[in-house]
Structures are given as structure tokens and as C-alpha cells.
Amino acid sequence: MRADKSWIGDQAFGEDAGALVTVTYKSHQDALLFVRSALTDDNGVGLLQGPKSSGKTTILRRLSEQLPRETAVALIDGTRIKPRELLSRMLAQFGYETSLESNEELIKMMSVFAMQQTRTWQPPILIVDNVDRMYPSALGVLNTLAQLEIQERFAMRIIVSGGEALNSLIESRGMASLASRSVGSFVISPLSLREALIYLHARLGACGVNNADTVFPVDVCDRLYQQSGGWPGLMNQFAREAIGRAAQFPLRLSDTEAKKEVEEEPAPELPVLGASQATSPLPPRLIVTRDGETLMECTLTDKKTLLGRSDFADIVIEDDFISKMHAVFLLYADALVLLDLNSANGTTVNSVRVGSTILKDNDIVSLGNHRLKVENAPPISDEIAKLLKSADTVKMKNLIDMRRLKARKRLKAANKSTQRG
């Protein structure tokens, strides 16, 4: 029984279930009609918007499958993708394997291909999922591709998907070409209660359950709908977990609730650097400008983010006065640290040249002809606040020493607790 339950859960609602069955509902059907219509428009750019579990990827896959076989189409996941990878994947899906190294050569090759296709009235189609998770440098390439024209016709059709911030991202000044070509955006809605029942039963039926009520009675379907808010991705997750918890079929309402584990008395919290400070609700962000014009906005979520002119950098800025690997941002819970990587022209913060420093909200970092405004910097602990008055080299040395001291104190406290036990 346990094996049967596991198989049904995986086949009907697991990560690979989409290969077995795709259940569409009205909002998905409308979204598919919208993106297909966008491709036939003269501007040829459509935006698909919805949260992570809304089924954007499913819609885009269906779109690519429904296009005529002779259509040149590339479907790319934009998550953390960089320019070279983006261009190489596109060309590979268009049937071109290349060993070209520079972005300029890859863009030129992509441009030639797109223009050749457009001359024959068959412009290639680029579909980018999770465009809001791309590196800014890759977004810049996407904007460049959106500018390609031949005989007063755009040389590429483009469909992109993203979350709630998609419209504001596309409308930013760094994406002007893509924004000007957009025929609008479609916002995906969740399933209705009735659609959720049909959705759950259809998935069960696809893996051989003849009477879906023998697995998910109506009241269980209602509960799964309430838990997921009607989003299909979340509904899959909760349905699979409920099947895993059930002792038998049909499921009961109690199977839809995760069992609460017996709570143990929490261990004493060890002191952490900056623990007294509230955590910033938003990740740090850099607003990159040149001559007063905003070029891009970069959110810092990784512990280390490289900035420079090289394509291997996480944030790529084209500026002759910026080194290939110019600087690095180090993100801690209680500090955002900037380190200059021995750049040729140096780095300044608030008009003062620095080798390393701790950044605060509204600090202005100057690199060549570009300016980076810091927003949402982590709140600074009292200990670090004292370091801000020190010279940079002393400051960073003290920061490292402080972290080592805190680690030793935590270890000492843990040993004492063990000995007392």
C-alpha cells in the first residue's frame, strides 16, 4: 500500500508529472491565447506574469510545442544566466554549435541568423522564463536583441515571463527597447474551486485512477484548494504530501494537515554578531547610474558578488575606466562589505577612495563613469558602528578579529553547557 501511494503521488503530482499530463484551466488557456497573439503582432513582445507556482513554465512549454515544426524557437530558463550562456543556449536550440568566445561575436552570429530568418518571413522566437532572475548583463543582451531590425521589421519575436516585478523591470530605462515593443502583459489568475476539483481528479485519472473520489473526496479537494490558494504548483505539493501522510484511501481531512512534531525545549541562543539588531526585510540593492540616468538595479542575494568589465563578473558594467574584475561585495547578516580588487583606477565611496569599507544605506560608490547607490544595506550592529570610525585597513582587520572572537565565545559557551549536562 505504501509503495502504491508513493507511486500515485509521484506520478500525479511529482516534479515529473507534467510529462504525463497537463491540465489547463481558463486562465492558462487565456494566457496561451495572449502569448500566441503577441507573436503575430508587428511589435512581437509579450509579457507573462505570475507567482512561482502559477504554471508559467507549463504555459511557455505548451507554446513552444504548439508552434509549427519549421519555426526556429528557443526556450530558455533565465535563472542566474549570464550573457555567454544565454547566447550559446539560444544558438544551440536554433541548430548552431559554436566555440566563439566573446559576447560580441555571439551577438553578431545571432543577429545574422535572425535577419536571415526574418527575410524569409520566419523570424526566430525567443521564450525566456524567469526573466526577472537573470543577471543584469544578460538583460542587457536581451534588450540588444530586441533592437534588431531588417527592412523596418523586428528580427526576433520575444516572450518573457516573471513575477510581480516584471512590468517595473521591463519598464526600467535599461530595458527601453523591450518595453517599447511590448504589446502588454497577461497576469495569470489562480484556479477557481470548481477548476481545482477538476484539476486534481484529472491528474489522478491520468495515472490510472478510474474513480478519483476513491483517493480525493470532495472535502479533501476543497481543503487542498484552500491551502494552495488555487495555484497549481502549490496544489501539487500539498496533494503529494497528503498522499504521503495517508494510512489508506480515500484520504481524510486530517491527512491534509502536517503533523506537529513534539516541541523540545529550545537550546539557549548563542550570541551572534549583530543579533540585537533587526534583520533588514529586503535584500541589499544597487542602483547603477551614468550621467544621472538609471541603467540597472541589482539585488544582492549571494554572499559574494563580483563587479567588473569582464563577462565572468556577476554585475557587468561596460566602462573603459573599470577593471575586468574591479570590486567585490561581501554580504553578511550585519554588514555589506565592499573590497576593491586592486583595480587600475580605484573605487571611491562618498568621494573618498577606499580599499575596503562597510557600506550603509544611501552610500554612493563611484567606479569610472558610473555611480552605484546602496539601498537596504543590512542594519549595522553596535560593534560594527564603532569600526566605521576607523581607517579601512584597521576596520577590516577588526571586523575579522571580532568574528573570530565571537566564534570562540560561542564555542566556549557550548563547551560549558555540555560539561554542566
Side-chain angles (χ1 to χ4, degrees):
M1 181 64 178
R2 180 66 58 179
D4 291 342
K5 289 199 303 90
S6 176
W7 183 86
I8 290 175
D10 290 341
Q11 289 297 308
F13 305 105
E15 294 181 359
D16 298 326
L20 176 68
V21 58
T22 299
V23 182
T24 60
Y25 60 101
K26 186 178 186 305
S27 187
H28 273 205
Q29 294 166 351
D30 292 344
L32 193 55
L33 287 174
F34 167 78
V35 291
R36 288 180 64 87
S37 175
L39 292 178
T40 61
D41 190 273
D42 290 340
N43 283 339
V45 169
L47 315 179
L48 184 62
Q49 184 176 328
K52 182 179 179 182
S53 301
S54 61
K56 299 188 301 292
T57 303
T58 299
I59 294 169
L60 297 182
R61 286 176 180 168
R62 288 200 54 145
L63 172 66
S64 65
E65 292 167 359
Q66 292 179 3
L67 293 170
R69 183 173 298 179
E70 64 273 13
T71 304
V73 56
L75 175 57
I76 307 292
D77 183 357
T79 304
R80 298 183 63 78
I81 201 169
K82 295 185 179 181
R84 180 174 296 130
E85 186 180 6
L86 171 64
L87 291 163
S88 297
R89 286 188 188 178
M90 287 173 57
L91 287 166
Q93 292 189 42
F94 290 143
Y96 290 87
E97 297 294 337
T98 176
S99 59
L100 298 176
E101 291 296 325
S102 72
N103 289 346
E104 290 75 14
E105 291 175 315
L106 289 168
I107 290 176
K108 184 176 181 179
M109 184 175 180
M110 186 69 252
S111 302
V112 170
F113 169 74
M115 291 180 180
Q116 287 175 342
Q117 291 290 116
T118 305
R119 284 193 185 96
T120 62
W121 297 93
Q122 294 180 321
I125 295 173
L126 172 61
I127 304 172
V128 182
D129 196 11
N130 301 314
V131 73
D132 49 346
R133 302 181 194 174
M134 297 174 71
Y135 279 110
S137 52
L139 283 172
V141 170
L142 186 60
N143 194 56
T144 298
L145 296 176
Q147 299 176 34
L148 297 177
E149 289 186 50
I150 181 171
Q151 299 173 355
E152 298 184 350
R153 287 180 290 156
F154 289 114
M156 184 168 288
R157 299 287 189 248
I158 302 173
I159 300 293
V160 300
S161 80
E164 296 179 357
L166 178 60
N167 282 327
S168 59
L169 170 68
I170 298 301
E171 291 171 1
S172 65
R173 297 181 187 180
M175 301 296 293
S177 297
L178 203 64
S180 65
R181 285 185 54 185
S182 172
V183 299
S185 63
F186 184 93
V187 181
I188 303 173
S189 301
L191 294 90
S192 66
L193 179 59
R194 180 176 177 276
E195 287 172 332
L197 176 64
I198 295 172
Y199 177 89
L200 292 167
H201 283 193
R203 280 190 168 267
L204 288 170
C207 65
V209 179
N210 294 326
N211 187 352
D213 285 329
T214 61
V215 177
F216 283 163
V218 173
D219 60 343
V220 170
C221 292
D222 290 350
R223 179 63 60 82
L224 293 173
Y225 171 78
Q226 294 168 5
Q227 290 177 325
S228 65
W231 295 113
L234 290 176
M235 200 172 300
N236 290 344
Q237 174 189 332
F238 293 134
R240 188 180 180 193
E241 291 174 355
I243 290 176
R245 284 191 290 267
Q248 60 184 16
F249 290 146
L251 273 68
R252 297 171 297 179
L253 286 177
S254 58
D255 296 323
T256 63
E257 301 293 342
K259 295 181 180 179
K260 294 183 179 180
E261 299 180 359
V262 178
E263 295 185 1
E264 298 179 358
E265 185 178 348
E269 187 175 348
L270 299 177
V272 193
L273 184 60
S276 61
Q277 302 291 329
T279 304
S280 176
L282 295 172
R285 188 171 66 153
L286 303 175
I287 300 177
V288 183
T289 64
R290 177 167 180 166
D291 299 328
E293 180 181 356
T294 299
L295 303 180
M296 67 178 86
E297 296 180 4
C298 310
T299 301
L300 304 180
T301 55
D302 294 337
K303 292 183 178 179
K304 180 174 70 174
T305 302
L306 287 167
L307 181 149
R309 203 175 69 246
S310 169
D311 294 335
F312 293 102
D314 299 316
I315 301 175
V316 179
I317 299 180
E318 297 292 342
D319 188 322
D320 292 339
F321 296 98
I322 292 180
S323 300
K324 290 184 176 180
M325 288 296 178
H326 192 103
V328 62
F329 295 90
L330 303 177
L331 179 59
Y332 301 96
D334 55 357
L336 176 62
V337 177
L338 169 67
L339 298 177
D340 182 90
L341 300 177
N342 295 318
S343 62
N345 295 290
T347 302
T348 65
V349 176
N350 302 329
S351 302
V352 177
R353 183 158 180 164
V354 299
S356 58
T357 190
I358 300 168
L359 296 171
K360 308 182 300 300
D361 270 358
N362 299 316
D363 277 350
I364 302 297
V365 181
S366 299
L367 308 156
N369 296 309
H370 290 72
R371 304 292 179 265
L372 286 70
K373 181 180 178 181
V374 180
E375 292 188 349
N376 305 326
I380 297 172
S381 62
D382 294 338
E383 297 94 335
I384 288 185
K386 296 177 182 178
L387 299 181
L388 294 177
K389 301 177 181 179
S390 309
D392 287 334
T393 53
V394 175
K395 185 185 306 178
M396 296 311 298
K397 180 179 182 301
N398 287 348
L399 178 61
I400 294 171
D401 290 344
M402 185 190 302
R403 293 187 184 281
R404 288 174 178 168
L405 177 60
K406 291 289 184 181
R408 286 198 296 269
K409 287 183 177 180
R410 288 196 295 269
L411 180 60
K412 186 176 180 180
N415 289 337
K416 286 183 178 179
S417 177
T418 302
Q419 291 171 0
R420 285 197 298 267

